Amino acid sequence: MSSNLAIKLRTGTHKSHTAAENVGFMKCFLKGVVDRGCFAKFLGNLYYVYSELEAEIERHQDHAVVGGIYFPELNRQAALEKDMEFYYGKDWRSQQIKPSPAAQNYIARIREVSATAPELLIGHAYTRYMGDLSGGQMLQKIAQSALKLEDYQGTSFYNFEEIPDKKAFKDKYRQALDALPIDDATAEKIVAEANNAFWFNMQIAQELEGNLIQAIGQVLFNALTRGHNSGSTELTNVGKG
């Protein structure tokens, strides 16, 4: 049974993709304006989100549906730990770096769906990982240039060492989505949850705008965020990848 979940997710989250690209923090990012402190906070939030998401997906790896998209090579927690050490030092764990309120809400939702409807974790996995493998690769290049970073220092998050051919893997992932044993009603619920995931990611990005304005000034921020982007990429790391 095929639910055509991959195409349903792509078309069903199109508006969310566009909205994500129009968050002020991301507009500045895409135009090459990246503040080191804000980027570190951004990655710190993602560290906690991915730690939770990956723990819950692993917990359900034998689940009839969730197991179909269990690909440990996607895991970002270890890569984000490298980034935390780069920005905050070897003792970063003792510095009481905590997830922001938006990230805490995101984590709470992941825990909720894991406990009540594990198949909805697929919406969160799709939103994050497919974005990381797509638009996230562009964000990495922007961050490397803006922050004058060498190799993957400070951007390990975007480096998928175990996935050398990202296009081939994304095709494989979409095939796995379509092969999941779900009905149309469940597919629609997963699409709805993917849109929820976009919203949580957007909240994380919006939270950082105050810090960014402090760093670059209100005038520049306004100039960079004026107008509306029509949306063009699979940019889900918005907090878009």
Side-chain angles (χ1 to χ4, degrees), residues 29 34-44 46 76 78-89 136 139-145 147-159:
F29 201 137
V34 185
D35 173 70
R36 184 185 176 102
C38 289
F39 187 57
K41 288 179 185 293
F42 173 63
L43 293 177
L46 291 184
R76 299 290 82 208
L80 283 160
E81 287 172 352
K82 291 181 185 177
D83 291 335
M84 291 298 93
E85 184 173 323
F86 177 80
Y87 290 107
Y88 296 107
L139 295 181
Q140 179 184 41
K141 290 182 174 63
I142 293 171
Q144 286 173 324
S145 175
L147 300 178
K148 296 178 172 57
L149 301 171
E150 295 183 2
D151 300 319
Y152 292 109
Q153 285 190 323
T155 61
S156 292
F157 166 60
Y158 299 107
N159 182 28

Side-chain angles (χ1 to χ4, degrees), residues 24-36 142 146-147 212 215-216 220-221 224:
F25 176 81
M26 295 309 299
K27 276 185 165 183
C28 292
F29 201 137
L30 290 166
K31 290 178 181 177
V33 177
V34 185
D35 173 70
R36 184 185 176 102
I142 293 171
L147 300 178
L212 184 60
I216 69 173
L220 178 56
F221 180 83
L224 291 169

Side-chain angles (χ1 to χ4, degrees), residues 56-68 70:
E56 297 307 322
I57 290 175
E58 183 177 1
R59 186 194 312 275
H60 294 291
Q61 62 180 285
D62 295 324
H63 185 277
V65 179
V66 180
Y70 178 61

Side-chain angles (χ1 to χ4, degrees), residues 43 46-55 58 72-86 92-93 129 152 154-162:
L43 293 177
L46 291 184
Y47 165 74
Y48 288 104
V49 169
Y50 277 93
S51 296
E52 193 67 35
L53 179 60
E54 289 165 4
E58 183 177 1
E73 59 266 41
L74 284 169
N75 287 356
R76 299 290 82 208
Q77 182 181 359
L80 283 160
E81 287 172 352
K82 291 181 185 177
D83 291 335
M84 291 298 93
E85 184 173 323
F86 177 80
W92 67 273
R93 293 181 187 278
Y129 293 123
Y152 292 109
T155 61
S156 292
F157 166 60
Y158 299 107
N159 182 28
F160 288 83
E161 292 181 344
E162 297 182 49

Side-chain angles (χ1 to χ4, degrees), residues 49 171 186 192:
V49 169
D171 289 342
T186 301

